[in-house]
Amino acid sequence: MASWKSPWWLLIWMVFMHSALLQVIGRGRGMTTAEKSPGAYFLPEFALSPQGSFLEDTTGEQFLTYRYDDQTSRNTRSDEDKDSNWDAWGDWSDCSRTCGGGASYSLRRCLTGRNCEGQNIRYKTCSNHDCPPDAEDFRAQQCSAYNDVQYQGRYYEWLPEYNDPAAPCALKCHAQGQNLVVELAPKVLDGTRCNADSLDMCISGICQAVGCDRQLGSNAKEDNCGVCAGDGATCRLVRGQSKSQVSPEKREENVIAVPLGSRSVRITVKGPAHLFIESKTLQGSKGEHSFNSPGAFVVENTTVEFQRGSERQAFKIPGPLMADFIFKTRYTAAKDSVVQFFFYQPISHQWRQTDFFPCTVTCGGGYQLNSAECVDIRLKRVVPDHYCHYYPENVKPKPKLKECSMDPCPSSDGFKEIMPYDHFQPLPRWEHNPWTACSVSCGGGIQRRSFVCVEESMHGEILQVEEWKCMYAPKPKVMQTCNLFDCPKWIAMEWSQCTVTCGRGLRYRVVLCINHRGQHVGGCNPQLKLHIKEECIIPIPCYKPKEKSPVEAKLPWLKQAQELEETRIATEEPT
């Protein structure tokens, strides 16, 4: 209490009380900002430092400053501070908020008066965890603080005005049930959001950029999946349209199921069909939600905006959805309706790296690996790997390898000291079995082989071990193509002459089964064999008597064709 006897403290206290009194008087008289006396102004948030100094804030306003040599809360001066005549930065103040993102400040003083370059106050964000669901909005709290102060002779219930582009950091409130909007303070408290849909916050009356990482001045943005500074790999875009098939016989129809966690949901129906939502939570509770008038509604802790026009309805949901939503249509008139949908669906199964497995040895230098397991994000439990393979963009991370148990082994255990694994003990590797027979004899097939993970012991023995030990090693091909050459096919020789010299007769040809090397072999499909004879016509009239038989071909040609055919049959393999 001895410090309060100082005349400097008395002067500061009088200035503070005078300013505060003017501020209260201005409020009590119900003046707007423009009506207040020029001598009455609000002290900026954090203007009074822990050492009791009135300082210059970031807006450049001048306040009374005095020297106070208490260095207990000062940090060590950096080289930059020493070069610029600044004292060390003080400790960070308490956070302006307990949750939802606030601001904390730190001060420093100029050791040469007012000839230092730069600011004497700096800020950082704090208390960045979310507030409880039932917590009142920070801007609304500041408006309601004026409920017990008369404005123009009356008391009002004040509600916040959001998203004022001209003055986002002024405390503008409107009177409940009245067409009255008043600026109750030129500056909101530090840590108040500039806009309802942004993380940017007001500090000393100025809107400061805040990234999704909750850091001042950060440009970090959430990706479409809701991951801060993410690359969009944890969700996938689902979009399309379908025709609603409702009718008097089929009154309702499922249109699209949008799972929990989805974002940027837009569902639109064009036509007379009525669009509504059926919800299902993880706990199994179900509900049906239908809206007749436009507006914003809360469904399963999810804000849903419903729009309605002439034969057009739409749902817009920023997300994330807190339950599964099944969008349905209900029959209202005998006319087709088209439903369009767009949303980002979370990849519900993702890879998660495991802890490292036990070391391969207890001494002398070994190794240990980790692996990856497929996790159901919703249920937070491990599931079989094929769930993660369902998403092409879900790439399994490679295992990590590190050394372990590098201490030398005791000489009394009967074994020689084992050097680090990469110098002496070979790493586990894949050993393969022979290839299986090709699946086909020609035309391109496949053959497979199996693998086992083996490890060489310190005695040179090759032992089969668990497969996870080989996960770091590139695995050879499990399957390959084989017998890529063409299958044998039927090849026809030239046609013979017609068996007659006039009129209608026959002609013959030799058909052989030829392989890819041009050799006469068997193996061709008999059902695909080309025909060896066909009818032929010689356009010369025959002048023989009708009672006589047609002129036959000379026997040598027919006999030669028959002999070639008999030779082919004798040399082909049975089919």
Side-chain angles (χ1 to χ4, degrees):
M1 295 301 294
S3 61
W4 283 99
K5 297 178 182 180
S6 168
W8 284 108
W9 276 109
L10 182 58
L11 176 59
I12 298 306
W13 179 79
M14 291 174 64
V15 172
F16 177 79
M17 291 303 295
H18 174 71
S19 301
L21 182 60
L22 289 174
Q23 178 179 336
V24 173
I25 291 173
R27 291 181 183 173
R29 291 177 179 174
M31 297 180 182
T32 62
T33 303
E35 296 170 332
K36 292 178 182 178
S37 167
Y41 60 90
F42 282 76
L43 292 174
E45 185 79 359
F46 303 138
L48 187 61
S49 77
Q51 287 75 35
S53 304
F54 283 96
L55 301 169
E56 177 179 325
D57 79 338
T58 55
T59 62
E61 296 176 354
Q62 302 295 320
F63 296 93
L64 180 62
T65 307
Y66 72 99
R67 293 186 178 277
Y68 184 57
D69 295 329
D70 180 11
Q71 298 294 322
T72 56
S73 62
R74 294 288 166 184
N75 300 315
T76 305
R77 293 177 66 194
S78 64
D79 293 337
E80 180 183 355
D81 292 336
K82 293 176 182 178
D83 294 338
S84 57
N85 297 321
W86 283 107
D87 196 0
W89 286 106
D91 292 337
W92 290 103
S93 70
D94 292 337
C95 194
S96 63
R97 299 187 62 186
T98 57
C99 64
S104 175
Y105 71 93
S106 175
L107 299 169
R108 64 177 177 176
R109 62 180 179 176
C110 180
L111 300 177
T112 60
R114 288 189 172 274
N115 297 324
C116 298
E117 292 185 4
Q119 299 292 331
N120 63 347
I121 187 169
R122 61 179 179 176
Y123 296 91
K124 70 174 182 179
T125 58
C126 50
S127 299
N128 288 318
H129 56 279
D130 293 332
C131 293
D134 56 347
E136 188 180 9
D137 176 74
F138 194 36
R139 191 178 286 264
Q141 293 178 24
Q142 297 172 59
C143 284
S144 62
Y146 288 85
N147 290 347
D148 57 353
V149 178
Q150 288 189 356
Y151 176 75
Q152 294 181 350
R154 292 184 56 186
Y155 291 98
Y156 295 95
E157 296 288 330
W158 296 104
L159 300 176
E161 281 286 310
Y162 297 100
N163 305 333
D164 182 358
C169 291
L171 183 62
K172 290 188 177 181
C173 311
H174 70 266
Q176 187 174 11
Q178 305 289 329
N179 187 20
L180 177 64
V181 178
V182 179
E183 182 180 297
L184 296 178
K187 299 178 184 180
V188 291
L189 295 179
D190 286 353
T192 306
R193 299 278 173 84
C194 303
N195 301 293
D197 55 353
S198 170
L199 291 175
D200 297 346
M201 67 171 56
C202 295
I203 294 180
S204 193
I206 299 175
C207 185
Q208 303 282 353
V210 177
C212 60
D213 53 2
R214 305 297 181 97
Q215 299 301 313
L216 278 175
S218 170
N219 294 321
K221 303 292 183 183
E222 285 188 351
D223 63 8
N224 293 322
C225 312
V227 178
C228 183
D231 58 0
T234 59
C235 66
R236 61 194 322 184
L237 174 62
V238 180
R239 65 189 306 174
Q241 69 176 26
S242 63
K243 182 179 290 186
S244 178
Q245 303 292 334
V246 290
S247 63
E249 293 76 25
K250 184 181 179 183
R251 306 291 299 182
E252 294 181 357
E253 181 186 40
N254 292 353
V255 175
I256 184 72
V258 184
L260 178 146
S262 298
R263 293 173 177 266
S264 304
V265 181
R266 297 200 301 272
I267 311 293
T268 303
V269 60
K270 298 178 180 179
H274 178 64
L275 187 64
F276 66 99
I277 299 174
E278 181 181 283
S279 63
K280 181 179 179 181
T281 66
L282 286 178
Q283 291 73 31
S285 61
K286 296 182 178 180
E288 184 177 299
H289 314 275
S290 180
F291 309 101
N292 295 318
S293 58
F297 307 91
V298 177
V299 176
E300 301 295 352
N301 296 321
T302 304
T303 301
V304 175
E305 180 185 352
F306 177 67
Q307 300 175 347
R308 189 182 185 94
S310 176
E311 291 201 345
R312 184 183 183 277
Q313 303 163 65
F315 281 106
K316 290 187 177 181
I317 310 173
L321 267 61
M322 304 305 291
D324 292 333
F325 281 11
I326 301 174
F327 290 87
K328 295 185 172 185
T329 52
R330 181 175 291 136
Y331 174 80
T332 59
K335 186 179 178 182
D336 289 341
S337 298
V338 176
V339 180
Q340 297 175 335
F341 49 87
F342 177 103
F343 59 93
Y344 287 95
Q345 173 188 350
I347 296 177
S348 56
H349 297 88
Q350 296 180 5
W351 295 106
R352 180 180 68 187
Q353 289 196 326
T354 65
D355 295 332
F356 280 92
F357 294 105
C359 191
T360 55
V361 296
T362 57
C363 62
Y367 60 89
Q368 56 186 154
L369 290 162
N370 74 346
S371 182
E373 56 192 9
C374 186
V375 178
D376 188 320
I377 303 301
R378 296 170 54 160
L379 302 178
K380 295 180 174 58
R381 68 183 183 190
V382 179
V383 295
D385 285 2
H386 68 266
Y387 284 95
C388 286
H389 292 312
Y390 174 78
Y391 305 98
E393 57 271 67
N394 206 359
V395 180
K396 187 174 183 178
K398 294 182 178 180
K400 296 178 181 178
L401 175 71
K402 69 177 182 179
E403 297 176 342
C404 55
S405 300
M406 302 302 294
D407 295 333
C409 293
S411 57
S412 59
D413 61 3
F415 296 101
K416 67 178 181 179
E417 179 179 337
I418 299 178
M419 299 299 291
Y421 69 89
D422 55 344
H423 296 301
F424 178 80
Q425 187 179 6
L427 291 172
R429 65 183 184 274
W430 294 106
E431 287 282 351
H432 60 81
N433 294 318
W435 291 104
T436 61
C438 193
S439 58
V440 295
S441 60
C442 60
I446 58 173
Q447 55 186 165
R448 296 179 172 84
R449 61 181 176 180
S450 58
F451 290 87
V452 292
C453 182
V454 299
E455 182 180 37
E456 184 175 345
S457 70
M458 64 181 67
H459 304 293
E461 298 175 319
I462 304 299
L463 304 174
Q464 183 175 342
V465 294
E466 299 90 341
E467 287 193 358
W468 64 262
K469 291 188 176 182
C470 287
M471 291 182 66
Y472 73 94
K475 194 172 185 178
K477 290 195 302 183
V478 179
M479 181 175 64
Q480 70 176 10
T481 56
C482 53
N483 293 348
L484 299 178
F485 51 84
D486 293 335
C487 292
K489 56 186 177 182
W490 295 108
I491 301 295
M493 304 291 107
E494 294 290 333
W495 285 104
S496 71
Q497 296 178 352
C498 196
T499 57
V500 298
T501 57
C502 65
R504 190 183 303 274
L506 296 172
R507 65 177 183 174
Y508 295 84
R509 65 180 178 182
V510 177
V511 177
L512 302 176
C513 182
I514 304 297
N515 67 8
H516 64 286
R517 295 188 180 93
Q519 300 171 339
H520 178 202
V521 297
C524 293
N525 188 346
Q527 296 179 355
L528 301 178
K529 181 181 178 182
L530 304 173
H531 59 281
I532 64 170
K533 68 178 180 178
E534 68 179 11
E535 194 177 67
C536 58
I537 298 175
I538 302 298
I540 298 175
C542 294
Y543 297 101
K544 299 288 183 178
K546 294 183 178 179
E547 66 271 13
K548 291 186 177 182
S549 301
V551 178
E552 296 291 335
K554 296 179 181 180
L555 286 177
W557 229 111
L558 177 61
K559 184 177 181 181
Q560 181 184 6
Q562 291 174 342
E563 289 175 352
L564 286 172
E565 177 68 14
E566 290 172 357
T567 303
R568 179 194 64 78
I569 295 173
T571 58
E572 285 184 3
E573 296 178 5
T575 57

